[in-house]
Amino acid sequence: MMDYKNHIKIITLQDLLKAECFNVKVSLQIIENALTKQNTKDLIFPNKVSVVFDESTQNRINCLPAGIRSQEVYGMKWVSVFPVNPHKYNIPNLSAVIVLSSLKDGFPKAFMEGSLCSNLRTAAVGSVAAKYLARKNAETIGFIGAGEQAKSHFLGMMAVRPSIKKCFVSSRTNESCEKFIVQMKRFYPEVEFVGCGNDYRKSVVDADIIVTAISGQDTILKADWIKSGAFYCHVAGLEDEDAVALKASKIVCDDWEVVKHRTQTISRMYKAGVLNDSDIYANLKDIIVGNKLGRENEEEFIYFNSVGLSFLDVALANWMFQKVEEKRVGTDCVLQDMSMFDVDEKYFVK
């Protein structure tokens, strides 16, 4: 009888927290390093599969596979984004799980809760962009949206721009703004927080860094609200009017070739012929490795668009798996220890 030894580790959010995986600074380092490998043979990076169940709400489930040869790991993030959830069911709009497999034998090695990794990865990409593209002495940040992505981005932005002294936040409801402030104040009590309710203009008009992280599909951010020298981080789908991108001195993406086939603001502009390839200044990797300059003066308004790259999730998730192993948490589970044809005949149903 062959010994299959098909063991997998089941990893919950509590396991990840016990393993000290809620680490913003390390997440930033992992993501920045992984971005430098973009478009290299070290990565296996298939296309994302996305199924939209409702065009009006953009309720969708995505499958994002990727592999990293040097780490001998292949993984998949299975993530649902249902923008109606917070307002209809009072639950988060995002849920995710991650499966990691070994490239030595192909067997799965981990099944983990994925929202921590997904939130940290998304925020890390925007924050690494801010490291290169925002004013170095940025003192104010403004959010449209007050959910988990907004909170994750606040923590990431504070890591790269500790000069931030004031944070404006707006959302559909005062309650979500207040919750954002209460939760983030625990991490950064020295920052002055200003709740703006649903006055979106007020939350961004004085901001050196602007982040839109909304679950809806609406052109909320207006070009004439944005001051000279601002850095704008576009997180989700349709969040800003076309004039915002047209106002930018530079448009930078995590990966323009991926972005332009999606449904984000600049993706729609490209499909409509309003933007073309030459209007995109660079991918973030080009700036990190020094092929392109980042911010060149204090007056540039720079627009950053992130679509999400699965190899970044796998890089971060694999680090989390290693931390879980190191801390000896998680639950070991045997999926299979024999061939189905080696089982006792009593289990065979004719």
Side-chain angles (χ1 to χ4, degrees):
M1 182 183 299
M2 184 177 291
D3 185 3
Y4 278 74
K5 294 182 180 178
N6 191 354
H7 296 265
I8 192 169
K9 180 149 284 189
I10 309 299
I11 304 170
T12 67
L13 175 61
Q14 285 300 318
D15 295 326
L16 294 169
L17 296 175
K18 289 176 184 176
E20 301 175 354
C21 294
F22 190 3
N23 188 320
V24 174
K25 289 187 176 180
V26 171
S27 299
L28 288 166
Q29 294 167 2
I30 291 170
I31 295 306
E32 183 168 353
N33 179 63
L35 279 167
T36 65
K37 298 179 180 180
Q38 190 173 354
N39 304 321
T40 69
K41 292 183 179 180
D42 192 37
L43 300 181
I44 309 164
F45 188 31
N47 290 331
K48 164 184 175 181
V49 177
S50 180
V51 179
V52 178
F53 301 101
D54 187 325
E55 291 292 342
S56 63
T57 63
Q58 287 292 298
N59 286 351
R60 59 197 183 274
I61 294 179
N62 302 325
C63 174
L64 294 90
I68 305 173
R69 297 181 193 277
S70 60
Q71 296 182 26
E72 297 187 314
V73 64
Y74 194 86
M76 177 202 72
K77 182 172 75 170
W78 183 264
V79 55
S80 68
V81 184
F82 276 50
V84 299
N85 282 357
H87 319 293
K88 194 171 182 179
Y89 305 114
N90 196 32
I91 58 177
N93 72 327
L94 182 145
S95 62
V97 294
I98 294 173
V99 178
L100 297 178
S101 292
S102 167
L103 284 181
K104 292 180 180 178
D105 56 23
F107 276 42
K109 63 180 184 178
F111 178 88
M112 70 171 66
E113 190 283 327
S115 66
L116 177 65
C117 177
S118 190
N119 283 331
L120 286 178
R121 186 273 302 162
T122 307
V125 174
S127 301
V128 169
K131 173 182 173 181
Y132 292 92
L133 302 174
R135 286 177 171 175
K136 293 194 180 300
N137 62 347
E139 295 187 349
T140 53
I141 187 168
F143 288 90
I144 296 178
E148 290 192 352
Q149 270 305 321
K151 295 166 191 172
S152 300
H153 274 77
F154 173 74
L155 298 178
M157 295 296 181
M158 289 301 302
V160 299
R161 287 294 180 268
S163 55
I164 292 172
K165 298 177 181 178
K166 183 181 286 190
C167 174
F168 300 91
V169 58
S170 61
S171 185
R172 292 181 180 180
T173 66
N174 285 322
E175 290 76 16
S176 55
C177 289
E178 290 167 3
K179 186 174 182 180
F180 177 101
I181 293 170
V182 168
Q183 291 181 329
M184 297 300 98
K185 193 76 174 174
R186 293 180 303 147
F187 299 112
Y188 287 95
E190 71 277 13
V191 173
E192 178 187 352
F193 290 89
V194 180
C196 303
N198 61 5
D199 188 343
Y200 302 123
R201 180 186 182 278
K202 181 180 178 182
S203 66
V204 302
V205 70
D206 292 320
D208 297 320
I209 296 173
I210 298 168
V211 180
T212 54
I214 58 176
S215 57
Q217 297 290 311
D218 199 2
T219 55
I220 290 177
L221 181 65
K222 309 301 180 186
D224 61 6
W225 296 352
I226 300 169
K227 72 177 188 178
S228 175
F231 165 72
Y232 169 43
C233 182
H234 179 291
V235 177
L238 184 64
E239 302 174 328
D240 54 311
E241 65 179 4
D242 291 2
V244 175
L246 295 175
K247 181 177 182 174
S249 308
K250 291 173 179 167
I251 299 175
V252 178
C253 299
D254 55 354
D255 190 322
W256 170 237
E257 285 302 314
V258 178
V259 169
K260 71 187 192 181
H261 299 298
R262 299 292 186 244
T263 57
Q264 294 164 299
T265 304
I266 60 174
S267 313
R268 298 177 191 224
M269 293 172 69
Y270 173 77
K271 291 170 186 174
V274 179
L275 286 179
N276 56 51
D277 293 330
S278 62
D279 293 316
I280 308 305
Y281 174 70
N283 285 336
L284 182 55
K285 175 202 171 179
D286 299 324
I287 295 170
I288 293 172
V289 301
N291 292 335
K292 288 285 189 78
L293 295 174
R295 176 171 288 274
E296 296 180 72
N297 61 67
E298 294 294 285
E299 304 307 312
E300 286 183 302
F301 163 49
I302 301 180
Y303 185 118
F304 177 69
N305 189 106
S306 173
V307 73
L309 305 173
S310 55
F311 69 88
L312 300 178
D313 290 287
V314 172
L316 186 54
N318 198 44
W319 170 78
M320 290 182 171
F321 170 73
Q322 292 165 4
K323 289 290 290 182
V324 165
E325 291 278 82
E326 175 189 318
K327 298 293 183 179
R328 299 178 182 272
V329 294
T331 302
D332 289 311
C333 177
V334 178
L335 292 178
Q336 181 187 20
D337 59 2
M338 66 178 74
S339 165
M340 59 184 280
F341 298 106
D342 289 325
V343 301
D344 192 293
E345 59 270 17
K346 69 181 179 181
Y347 293 111
F348 173 63
V349 181
K350 290 186 178 179

